[in-house]
Amino acid sequence: MNKFTSHFLHLSENLSLHYLKLGESKDAIILIHGGDRKFQNAQYWTPLFHDLSNSFTVFAIDLLGHGSSVLGGSQVQSQRASIEIQIEALRKFNDKVLLNYEKKIWVGRSYGANVVLHFAHKYPEMVTHLSLICLLYTSPSPRDLSTSRMPSSA
């Protein structure tokens, strides 16, 4: 049985995104954890890795300020990045890690579902499928709505 591998994606001087990976499929499933204490890092998803890796390349991301991801130059879990910063970290992850995958299935739980929902709203071309588990929705600011990239209806 294969074991997942641990990786870091350097985003900037003070930001590094940690993720786990298992599988070698042309389709990717990207798992984003919640924000509560028990489920606040990529390790939450590891019991599902082997079953999912039969059909997908599985990625589980530690959001910035969680798990092993670095926010502000340290691995301090008490720090929180804004949803906008999380979204841009996921965009960079997509641009650097997910480019060659045919399908990109984004799954978010709780706070992670909120981040993934906003990511899909801002970058719909980067999402093939979306699954939201226990969504705790917070509305984007009016400024975010005015700069939305969703296509308008014809």
Side-chain angles (χ1 to χ4, degrees):
M1 187 175 283
N2 292 335
K3 183 163 174 45
F4 59 83
T5 55
S6 178
H7 305 267
F8 284 90
L9 176 62
H10 180 74
L11 302 173
S12 70
E13 184 177 332
N14 294 321
L15 299 174
S16 291
L17 198 63
H18 175 256
Y19 64 96
L20 305 174
K21 178 184 176 187
L22 180 65
E24 293 298 327
S25 171
K26 62 184 177 186
D27 299 327
I29 187 165
I30 306 96
L31 308 169
I32 309 295
H33 60 80
D36 54 330
R37 287 187 182 162
K38 186 175 181 182
F39 306 119
Q40 68 178 3
N41 61 53
Q43 293 288 330
Y44 168 73
W45 301 103
T46 57
L48 302 175
F49 267 39
H50 290 286
D51 287 338
L52 289 172
S53 69
N54 291 328
S55 302
F56 304 101
T57 301
V58 183
F59 295 92
I61 297 174
D62 281 332
L63 290 172
L64 295 171
H66 296 267
S68 296
S69 285
V70 177
L71 173 64
S74 65
Q75 293 178 330
V76 178
Q77 293 185 12
S78 62
Q79 295 180 3
R80 287 292 275 235
S82 69
I83 286 181
E84 291 81 15
I85 291 172
Q86 300 286 10
I87 290 168
E88 288 310 305
L90 295 181
R91 181 190 60 77
K92 289 179 181 179
F93 178 82
N94 180 82
D95 292 351
K96 295 184 186 275
V97 178
L98 300 177
L99 280 181
N100 295 320
Y101 290 91
E102 290 182 15
K103 291 183 183 175
K104 299 171 190 175
I105 302 163
W106 292 81
V107 178
R109 181 195 169 278
S110 186
Y111 173 72
N114 196 26
V115 172
V116 170
L117 178 64
H118 287 287
F119 173 79
H121 178 76
K122 187 168 183 179
Y123 299 109
E125 69 280 5
M126 296 180 186
V127 178
T128 309
H129 300 284
L130 184 64
S131 178
L132 307 173
I133 303 166
C134 300
L135 173 65
L136 297 172
Y137 180 73
T138 57
S139 177
S141 69
R143 177 181 54 89
D144 291 338
L145 290 174
S146 68
T147 60
S148 169
R149 295 188 49 192
M150 293 293 282
S152 60
S153 57

